[in-house]
Amino acid sequence: MEKDLAQHIQDMANRLSVEKCVQLAFEFPVKNSVNVPENWTRVRKAGREWFLSFKKRRHLSIRTPEATSMARATAFNRHTVSEFFFFFNNISTVMDKYKFRAQDIYNVDESGLTTVQSPKQIVTEMGKKQVGSITSGERGELVTIVCTINAIGNTVPSTIHLPSGAIQGQLPHQGTSSICWVFN
């Protein structure tokens, strides 16, 4: 029965928190008419000690998933990937046509930092490298930083995009000459 429970937790594809696992560990034997310890019945969940030994026996671990917005998770599809490789395969044609030099090739990267989203820890199989959790893009304040560098190492001043509610008087003034502050 424990093997079935462990398999069910793994089949849930990293969606169960520790709290849900210990509740499930109580419900599973009860539904199958198996006796459980009295303290489990009182609190309607398995004990912490049982869970820690179960986790060890079944090679499970507790991990904090990486937050992934719904937009990013759904954007990775066959059409988007094929468009990327179409562009990638034609890059040599463009390079030959326009004769770009290293100082003409720039990489621009933006990164968004949110003030709220932090997924809860979940139970997953031990050794799993990537653990993700879909989170809402609607919560928290978003601060975006944009950095630019060319192929020989020259940079363009970074920009930090702050929400409209940010207080301009609280920004640092010293040591930020290479940063442009933008208020939405």
Side-chain angles (χ1 to χ4, degrees), residues 1 14 29 46 52-54 63 71-72 83-85 91-92 95 98 103 120 126-127 130 139 148 165-166:
M1 183 173 293
N14 307 323
L52 293 175
S53 60
F54 169 75
R63 304 276 306 274
R72 182 169 292 209
E83 278 186 0
F84 170 78
F85 281 106
I91 194 86
S92 61
M95 293 292 288
Y98 293 104
Q103 64 262 24
K120 293 182 178 180
M126 194 168 289
Q130 187 175 16
R139 291 180 272 168
T148 307

Side-chain angles (χ1 to χ4, degrees), residues 160-178:
I160 298 178
H161 299 258
L162 299 168
S164 58
I167 300 171
Q168 297 179 23
Q170 294 181 348
L171 296 177
H173 294 288
Q174 295 176 339
T176 59
S177 60
S178 63

Side-chain angles (χ1 to χ4, degrees), residues 5-17 21 24 60 65 122-125 128 130-134:
L5 177 62
Q7 186 60 50
H8 179 68
I9 289 170
Q10 290 176 355
D11 291 345
M12 290 298 292
N14 307 323
R15 293 180 294 205
L16 292 178
S17 66
C21 283
L24 191 61
L60 299 172
I122 58 170
V123 179
T124 185
E125 58 190 291
K128 189 158 185 146
Q130 187 175 16
V131 180
S133 173
I134 302 297

Side-chain angles (χ1 to χ4, degrees), residues 58-69:
R58 296 296 166 185
H59 306 289
L60 299 172
S61 66
I62 301 171
R63 304 276 306 274
T64 302
E66 180 180 326
T68 306
S69 72

Side-chain angles (χ1 to χ4, degrees), residues 78-94:
R78 184 177 300 275
H79 175 72
T80 307
V81 172
S82 64
E83 278 186 0
F84 170 78
F85 281 106
F86 176 75
F87 167 77
F88 187 74
N89 290 334
N90 289 323
I91 194 86
S92 61
T93 306
V94 173

